[in-house]
Amino acid sequence: MAVQLVPLDDEKYVEFVHRQLAETARQETLAGHWRPEEAEERAREELAGLISGEARRTGHRFFEAVVPGTGRVGWIWEGPPPVSLGLVNTRWLYQITIDEAQRGKGLGRATLVAVEGMLRREGVETIRLNVNRWNKVAVALYESSGYTYAYKGETDANLHKRLR
């Protein structure tokens, strides 16, 4: 099944931000990085650039994953890697989320293929990401899609894949 990436308009961006705040709080709590009672506030602090729109102005891009005839099946956030890493010709996959009702249908893989294809056409050499190790489904998806470990910690990992 093919997935198309559709850039978010302003209204959908606001919806994405709200969903991302909740998802970040959930993921970081499950990873044991944050306590439940602090998760919402910490997510707001961590995602301040997303909330303010600064991320959009600095090269981050946000898409809906759309299956023709079905509609939106998920969300994607990709952008430049953290500056502190000093990576060149690399993009960072910050979030890929498939709507719960659409999971288990191969749409995560199809979305990943769509993102990789878009970046490859743009001349990007490498894609990188972080994943929480508790998220076994995501870890398996990345491993089976040719990603290799740059770092493998106790609770999270950093993976990368050459695109060209």
Coordinates of all heavy atoms in Angstrom, one line a residue, residues 14-60:
V14 N -1.6 22.7 14.2 CA -2.1 22.9 15.6 C -2.5 21.6 16.1 O -2.2 21.2 17.3 CB -3.2 24.0 15.6 CG1 -3.8 24.0 17.0 CG2 -2.6 25.4 15.3
E15 N -3.3 20.8 15.4 CA -3.7 19.5 15.8 C -2.5 18.6 16.1 O -2.5 17.9 17.1 CB -4.7 18.9 14.8 CG -5.2 17.5 15.2 CD -6.1 16.9 14.1 OE1 -6.4 17.5 13.1 OE2 -6.4 15.7 14.3
F16 N -1.6 18.6 15.1 CA -0.4 17.8 15.3 C 0.4 18.2 16.6 O 0.8 17.3 17.3 CB 0.6 18.0 14.1 CG 2.0 17.4 14.3 CD1 2.2 16.1 14.2 CD2 3.0 18.2 14.7 CE1 3.4 15.5 14.5 CE2 4.3 17.7 15.0 CZ 4.5 16.3 14.8
V17 N 0.5 19.5 16.9 CA 1.2 19.9 18.1 C 0.6 19.3 19.3 O 1.2 18.8 20.2 CB 1.3 21.5 18.1 CG1 1.8 21.9 19.5 CG2 2.3 22.0 17.0
H18 N -0.8 19.4 19.4 CA -1.5 18.9 20.6 C -1.2 17.4 20.7 O -1.0 16.9 21.8 CB -3.0 19.2 20.5 CG -3.3 20.6 20.7 ND1 -3.1 21.2 21.9 CD2 -3.7 21.6 19.9 CE1 -3.4 22.5 21.8 NE2 -3.8 22.7 20.6
R19 N -1.3 16.7 19.6 CA -1.1 15.2 19.6 C 0.4 14.9 20.0 O 0.6 14.0 20.7 CB -1.4 14.6 18.2 CG -2.8 14.5 17.9 CD -3.0 14.0 16.5 NE -4.4 13.8 16.2 CZ -4.9 12.6 15.9 NH1 -4.2 11.5 15.9 NH2 -6.2 12.5 15.7
Q20 N 1.3 15.7 19.5 CA 2.7 15.5 19.8 C 3.1 15.7 21.2 O 3.9 15.0 21.8 CB 3.6 16.3 18.9 CG 5.1 15.9 18.9 CD 5.3 14.5 18.5 OE1 4.7 14.0 17.6 NE2 6.2 13.8 19.2
L21 N 2.4 16.7 21.8 CA 2.6 17.0 23.3 C 2.2 15.7 24.1 O 2.9 15.3 24.9 CB 1.8 18.2 23.7 CG 2.4 19.5 23.3 CD1 1.4 20.6 23.5 CD2 3.7 19.8 24.1
A22 N 1.0 15.2 23.8 CA 0.5 14.0 24.5 C 1.4 12.8 24.2 O 1.7 12.0 25.1 CB -0.9 13.8 24.1
E23 N 1.8 12.6 23.0 CA 2.6 11.5 22.6 C 4.0 11.5 23.3 O 4.5 10.5 23.7 CB 2.8 11.4 21.1 CG 3.5 10.2 20.6 CD 2.8 8.8 20.9 OE1 1.7 8.8 21.3 OE2 3.5 7.8 20.7
T24 N 4.6 12.7 23.3 CA 5.9 12.9 23.9 C 5.8 12.6 25.4 O 6.7 11.8 26.0 CB 6.5 14.3 23.7 OG1 6.7 14.5 22.3 CG2 7.8 14.5 24.4
A25 N 4.8 13.1 26.1 CA 4.6 12.8 27.5 C 4.4 11.3 27.7 O 5.0 10.8 28.7 CB 3.4 13.6 28.0
R26 N 3.7 10.7 26.9 CA 3.4 9.2 27.0 C 4.7 8.4 26.8 O 5.0 7.6 27.6 CB 2.3 8.8 26.0 CG 1.9 7.3 26.1 CD 0.9 7.0 25.1 NE 1.5 6.7 23.8 CZ 2.2 5.6 23.4 NH1 2.2 4.6 24.3 NH2 2.7 5.5 22.2
Q27 N 5.4 8.7 25.8 CA 6.6 8.0 25.4 C 7.7 8.1 26.5 O 8.3 7.2 26.9 CB 7.2 8.4 24.1 CG 6.3 7.9 22.9 CD 7.0 8.3 21.6 OE1 8.1 8.7 21.5 NE2 6.2 8.2 20.5
E28 N 7.9 9.4 27.0 CA 9.0 9.6 27.9 C 8.6 9.0 29.3 O 9.5 8.6 30.0 CB 9.3 11.1 28.1 CG 9.8 11.7 26.8 CD 11.2 11.1 26.4 OE1 12.0 10.7 27.3 OE2 11.4 11.0 25.2
T29 N 7.3 8.9 29.6 CA 6.9 8.3 30.8 C 7.1 6.8 30.7 O 7.6 6.1 31.7 CB 5.4 8.6 31.1 OG1 5.3 10.0 31.3 CG2 4.9 7.9 32.4
L30 N 6.7 6.2 29.6 CA 6.9 4.7 29.4 C 8.4 4.4 29.4 O 8.7 3.3 29.9 CB 6.2 4.3 28.1 CG 4.7 4.2 28.1 CD1 4.2 3.9 26.7 CD2 4.2 3.1 29.1
A31 N 9.2 5.2 28.9 CA 10.6 5.0 28.9 C 11.3 5.1 30.3 O 12.4 4.7 30.5 CB 11.3 5.9 27.9
G32 N 10.5 5.7 31.2 CA 11.1 5.9 32.6 C 11.9 7.1 32.7 O 12.5 7.3 33.7
H33 N 11.8 8.0 31.7 CA 12.6 9.2 31.7 C 11.9 10.3 32.6 O 12.6 11.1 33.2 CB 12.8 9.8 30.3 CG 13.6 8.9 29.5 ND1 13.5 8.9 28.1 CD2 14.6 7.9 29.7 CE1 14.4 8.0 27.6 NE2 15.0 7.4 28.6
W34 N 10.6 10.3 32.6 CA 9.8 11.3 33.3 C 8.8 10.6 34.2 O 8.3 9.6 33.8 CB 9.1 12.2 32.3 CG 9.9 13.0 31.4 CD1 11.2 13.2 31.4 CD2 9.4 13.7 30.2 NE1 11.7 14.0 30.4 CE2 10.6 14.3 29.6 CE3 8.2 13.9 29.6 CZ2 10.5 15.1 28.5 CZ3 8.1 14.7 28.5 CH2 9.2 15.3 27.9
R35 N 8.4 11.3 35.3 CA 7.4 10.8 36.1 C 6.0 11.3 35.5 O 6.0 12.4 34.9 CB 7.5 11.4 37.5 CG 8.8 10.9 38.3 CD 8.9 11.4 39.7 NE 8.5 12.7 39.9 CZ 9.3 13.8 39.8 NH1 10.6 13.6 39.6 NH2 8.9 15.0 40.1
P36 N 5.0 10.5 35.7 CA 3.7 10.9 35.1 C 3.2 12.3 35.5 O 2.7 13.1 34.7 CB 2.7 9.9 35.6 CG 3.6 8.7 35.9 CD 4.9 9.2 36.3
E37 N 3.4 12.7 36.7 CA 2.9 14.0 37.2 C 3.7 15.2 36.6 O 3.2 16.3 36.6 CB 3.0 14.1 38.7 CG 4.3 14.0 39.4 CD 4.8 12.5 39.6 OE1 4.1 11.6 39.1 OE2 5.8 12.4 40.4
E38 N 4.9 15.0 36.0 CA 5.6 16.0 35.4 C 5.7 16.0 33.9 O 6.1 16.9 33.2 CB 7.1 16.0 35.9 CG 7.9 14.8 35.4 CD 9.3 14.7 35.9 OE1 9.8 15.6 36.6 OE2 10.0 13.8 35.5
A39 N 5.1 14.9 33.3 CA 5.3 14.7 31.9 C 4.7 15.8 31.0 O 5.3 16.2 30.0 CB 4.7 13.3 31.5
E40 N 3.5 16.2 31.3 CA 2.9 17.3 30.5 C 3.7 18.5 30.5 O 4.0 19.1 29.4 CB 1.4 17.6 31.0 CG 0.7 18.5 30.1 CD -0.7 18.8 30.5 OE1 -1.3 17.9 31.2 OE2 -1.2 19.9 30.2
E41 N 4.1 19.0 31.6 CA 4.9 20.2 31.7 C 6.3 20.0 31.0 O 6.7 20.9 30.2 CB 5.2 20.6 33.1 CG 6.0 21.9 33.3 CD 6.2 22.3 34.7 OE1 5.4 21.9 35.6 OE2 7.2 23.0 35.0
R42 N 6.9 18.9 31.2 CA 8.2 18.7 30.5 C 8.1 18.6 29.0 O 9.0 19.0 28.3 CB 8.9 17.4 31.1 CG 9.3 17.7 32.6 CD 10.3 16.8 33.1 NE 11.5 16.7 32.4 CZ 12.5 15.9 32.7 NH1 12.3 15.0 33.7 NH2 13.6 15.9 32.0
A43 N 7.0 18.0 28.6 CA 6.7 17.9 27.1 C 6.6 19.3 26.5 O 7.1 19.6 25.5 CB 5.5 17.1 26.8
R44 N 5.9 20.2 27.3 CA 5.7 21.6 26.8 C 7.1 22.3 26.7 O 7.4 23.1 25.8 CB 4.8 22.4 27.7 CG 3.3 22.0 27.5 CD 2.4 22.9 28.3 NE 1.0 22.6 27.9 CZ 0.5 22.9 26.7 NH1 1.2 23.5 25.8 NH2 -0.8 22.6 26.5
E45 N 8.0 22.0 27.7 CA 9.3 22.6 27.7 C 10.1 22.1 26.6 O 10.8 22.9 25.8 CB 10.0 22.4 29.0 CG 9.4 23.1 30.2 CD 10.0 22.6 31.6 OE1 10.9 21.7 31.6 OE2 9.5 23.1 32.6
E46 N 10.1 20.8 26.4 CA 10.9 20.2 25.3 C 10.5 20.6 23.9 O 11.3 20.7 23.0 CB 10.9 18.6 25.5 CG 11.8 18.0 24.5 CD 12.0 16.5 24.8 OE1 12.4 16.1 25.9 OE2 11.6 15.7 23.9
L47 N 9.2 20.8 23.8 CA 8.6 21.1 22.5 C 8.2 22.5 22.3 O 7.4 22.9 21.5 CB 7.4 20.2 22.2 CG 7.7 18.7 22.2 CD1 6.4 17.9 22.1 CD2 8.7 18.3 21.2
A48 N 8.9 23.4 23.0 CA 8.6 24.8 23.0 C 8.7 25.4 21.5 O 7.9 26.2 21.1 CB 9.5 25.6 23.9
G49 N 9.7 24.9 20.8 CA 9.9 25.4 19.4 C 8.8 24.9 18.5 O 8.5 25.5 17.5
L50 N 8.2 23.8 18.8 CA 7.1 23.2 18.1 C 5.9 24.1 18.4 O 5.2 24.5 17.4 CB 6.9 21.8 18.5 CG 6.0 20.9 17.6 CD1 6.7 20.6 16.3 CD2 5.8 19.6 18.3
I51 N 5.6 24.4 19.6 CA 4.5 25.1 20.0 C 4.5 26.5 19.5 O 3.5 27.0 18.9 CB 4.4 25.2 21.6 CG1 4.1 23.8 22.1 CG2 3.3 26.1 22.0 CD1 4.4 23.6 23.6
S52 N 5.7 27.2 19.5 CA 5.8 28.5 19.0 C 5.8 28.7 17.5 O 5.7 29.7 17.0 CB 7.1 29.2 19.6 OG 8.2 28.6 18.9
G53 N 6.1 27.5 16.8 CA 6.2 27.6 15.4 C 7.6 27.8 14.9 O 7.9 27.7 13.7
E54 N 8.5 27.9 15.8 CA 9.9 28.1 15.5 C 10.5 27.0 14.7 O 11.3 27.1 13.7 CB 10.8 28.3 16.7 CG 12.3 28.6 16.5 CD 12.6 29.8 15.7 OE1 11.8 30.8 15.8 OE2 13.7 29.9 15.1
A55 N 10.1 25.8 15.0 CA 10.5 24.6 14.3 C 10.2 24.7 12.8 O 11.0 24.3 11.9 CB 9.9 23.3 14.9
R56 N 9.0 25.2 12.5 CA 8.6 25.3 11.0 C 9.5 26.3 10.3 O 9.8 26.2 9.1 CB 7.2 25.8 10.9 CG 6.2 24.7 11.3 CD 4.8 25.3 11.3 NE 4.1 24.9 10.1 CZ 2.9 25.3 9.8 NH1 2.2 26.0 10.6 NH2 2.3 24.8 8.7
R57 N 10.0 27.3 11.1 CA 10.8 28.4 10.5 C 12.3 28.0 10.3 O 13.1 28.7 9.7 CB 10.7 29.7 11.3 CG 9.3 30.3 11.2 CD 9.2 31.6 11.9 NE 9.4 31.6 13.4 CZ 8.4 31.3 14.2 NH1 7.2 31.1 13.8 NH2 8.6 31.3 15.5
T58 N 12.7 26.9 10.9 CA 14.1 26.4 10.9 C 14.3 25.1 10.2 O 15.2 24.4 10.5 CB 14.6 26.3 12.4 OG1 13.8 25.4 13.1 CG2 14.7 27.7 13.0
G59 N 13.4 24.8 9.2 CA 13.6 23.6 8.4 C 12.9 22.3 8.8 O 13.1 21.3 8.1
H60 N 12.2 22.4 9.8 CA 11.4 21.2 10.2 C 10.2 21.1 9.3 O 9.6 22.1 9.0 CB 11.0 21.2 11.7 CG 12.2 21.1 12.6 ND1 12.5 20.0 13.3 CD2 13.2 22.0 12.9 CE1 13.6 20.2 14.0 NE2 14.0 21.4 13.8

